[in-house]
Amino acid sequence: MKEFKYVITDELGIHARPAGQLVKKAMGFKSTVSISCPKGQADCKRIMAVMKLVVKQGDEVVLKIEGEDEDAAAKELEEFFKTTL
């Protein structure tokens, strides 16, 4: 299992556009990808679940990736968070 933490810097947090991009990236991997924050946890392959977390700027999120392609998934998703959120 791979895991990384990230503090959201985007002033709008994880709103519709980046949530959709996150789901699209997560769907590209066979591994399970989950996101958790103080408000709960969600499957990153389900947009409504991600949106229900209502992640705001300054919130710390933890991504957990587990599966056969977890190394590649963790690397790509961490880069996505650094450049998008």
Side-chain angles (χ1 to χ4, degrees), residues 13-44:
I14 301 180
H15 55 92
R17 183 185 49 78
Q21 292 173 323
L22 173 59
V23 170
K24 187 175 181 178
K25 286 230 180 263
M27 293 289 285
F29 297 101
K30 292 180 181 178
S31 296
T32 59
V33 183
S34 65
I35 184 171
S36 59
C37 68
K39 299 170 192 126
Q41 182 176 333
D43 179 349
C44 284

Side-chain angles (χ1 to χ4, degrees), residues 4-10 59-63 78 80-85:
F4 70 88
K5 295 179 181 182
Y6 184 78
V7 176
I8 303 300
T9 57
D10 186 293
D59 288 351
E60 181 178 73
V61 297
V62 178
L63 260 78
E78 188 166 10
F80 168 76
F81 271 79
K82 288 178 180 177
T83 58
T84 307
L85 297 167

